[in-house]
Amino acid sequence: MRRSREPRREEELLESRSRDLDLSDSEQKEIKERGRAKAVVIHEVIRLEGEQELRRPMWALAWSGLAAGLSMGFSLVAEGLIHASLPDQPWRSLISNLGYTVGFLIVVLGRQQLFTENTLTVILPLLNQRNGKTLMRVLRLWTIVLVTNLIGALIFAWVISNTEIFTFEVRQAFTEISLQAIEAKSWVILERGIFAGWLIALMVWLLPSAESSQIAIIIILTYLVGIGGLAHIIAGSVEVLYIVTTKAITWGEYFGRFMIPALLGNIIGGVSLVAALNYGQVAPQINRK
């Protein structure tokens, strides 16, 4: 009973304040519509996008996922180039991590399929239609995008580690950055993965209302992931696969110490902390309709 009274109480307060300001009925109505629309409109924009992605053919998802995995490699490249150009000072990471945002800018603005974005985008349709068919479509998309993202990450890591495209100093910077990504214990990487998944899904939630500020939103939130040393399954995989291809660590260490904990953390952070919570705030309005 208490929950049902709270929205009514808010409406009464709004009407009281509107009368104090001497607003017309049409102005009061416009205020109500705009105030209520924000969360619901964002939800519907992302849900409809999720519905479209769930209907995309397998090969379209695969090519887009492969492109995203390759593009995320430029986060390591940009960060490594900056890292190698700066003196070894405590503030170096504050600047070099700006390079971490580059891959995300390419992927998001290029509309490529990134696994962590889909911990929000395709979950909203599932929360609206809780049935086996929608669940299977979500799992199909997740599998295709994750696998192709990781294939792209592996290809990129192998190329930059087995060629002389970049100087020895830059490749050394790649190694230093990559070793930092796996230095923590697996349970810490899981926790860092939760926060990374949370931030990336929040970025997706914010973008529809960001308008001209989209680039700033992407840079700020992904810079926070980078500077915080948080574990992003794809960006982090480029880094860790780089030292796998140089034989600095084994495949077992990649899967056990990084990939599985980071993947689980990203899913938990994206699905439970963003998709479910943001769906919860608009569910009563959606269900009424």
Side-chain angles (χ1 to χ4, degrees), residues 112-131:
Q112 297 169 355
Q113 286 286 339
L114 187 64
F115 177 78
T116 44
E117 288 188 78
N118 284 307
T119 57
L120 171 67
T121 308
V122 299
I123 292 299
L124 294 185
L126 178 61
L127 291 172
N128 279 272
Q129 300 178 43
R130 301 185 188 94
N131 55 57

Side-chain angles (χ1 to χ4, degrees), residues 65-245:
L66 180 64
L70 292 167
S71 297
M72 288 306 301
F74 288 104
S75 284
L76 177 59
V77 167
E79 188 177 353
L81 289 169
I82 300 171
H83 182 95
S85 302
L86 296 173
D88 187 8
Q89 296 293 327
W91 47 262
R92 179 163 66 176
S93 64
L94 294 174
I95 300 175
S96 65
N97 271 288
L98 286 170
Y100 185 82
T101 68
V102 171
F104 291 95
L105 283 166
I106 297 170
V107 168
V108 177
L109 297 179
R111 307 294 293 172
Q112 297 169 355
Q113 286 286 339
L114 187 64
F115 177 78
T116 44
E117 288 188 78
N118 284 307
T119 57
L120 171 67
T121 308
V122 299
I123 292 299
L124 294 185
L126 178 61
L127 291 172
N128 279 272
Q129 300 178 43
R130 301 185 188 94
N131 55 57
K133 182 180 178 181
T134 307
L135 175 61
M136 293 307 297
R137 289 164 66 197
V138 169
L139 294 177
R140 165 185 168 272
L141 182 142
W142 271 11
T143 301
I144 294 169
V145 172
L146 177 62
V147 169
T148 53
N149 279 177
L150 293 177
I151 291 172
L154 175 60
I155 293 170
F156 196 100
W158 186 90
V159 169
I160 63 174
S161 67
N162 287 277
T163 64
E164 295 185 1
I165 297 171
F166 300 102
T167 64
F168 173 77
E169 291 76 18
V170 173
R171 282 180 281 149
Q172 199 169 32
F174 293 161
T175 299
E176 291 175 15
I177 293 166
S178 299
L179 288 171
Q180 290 173 5
I182 202 171
E183 65 182 358
K185 295 183 183 297
S186 57
W187 61 269
V188 176
I189 291 176
L190 171 66
E191 293 173 342
R192 291 176 178 176
I194 292 172
F195 275 79
W198 187 358
L199 284 169
I200 298 303
L202 272 176
M203 178 189 75
V204 177
W205 182 266
L206 293 172
L207 286 177
S209 60
E211 298 179 355
S212 60
S213 303
Q214 288 189 349
I215 291 176
I217 294 290
I218 297 167
I219 290 174
I220 291 168
L221 292 185
T222 58
Y223 176 74
L224 185 56
V225 173
I227 198 67
L230 306 179
H232 184 272
I233 180 60
I234 310 305
S237 283
V238 177
E239 297 169 354
V240 182
L241 288 171
Y242 178 83
I243 51 177
V244 169
T245 58

Side-chain angles (χ1 to χ4, degrees), residues 41-86:
V41 169
I42 292 170
H43 172 276
E44 285 302 289
V45 168
I46 298 172
R47 184 187 66 79
L48 290 172
E49 183 180 341
E51 291 283 3
Q52 292 172 355
E53 298 301 338
L54 290 173
R55 288 195 294 268
R56 287 183 73 181
M58 181 182 70
W59 288 110
L61 290 171
W63 283 114
S64 185
L66 180 64
L70 292 167
S71 297
M72 288 306 301
F74 288 104
S75 284
L76 177 59
V77 167
E79 188 177 353
L81 289 169
I82 300 171
H83 182 95
S85 302
L86 296 173

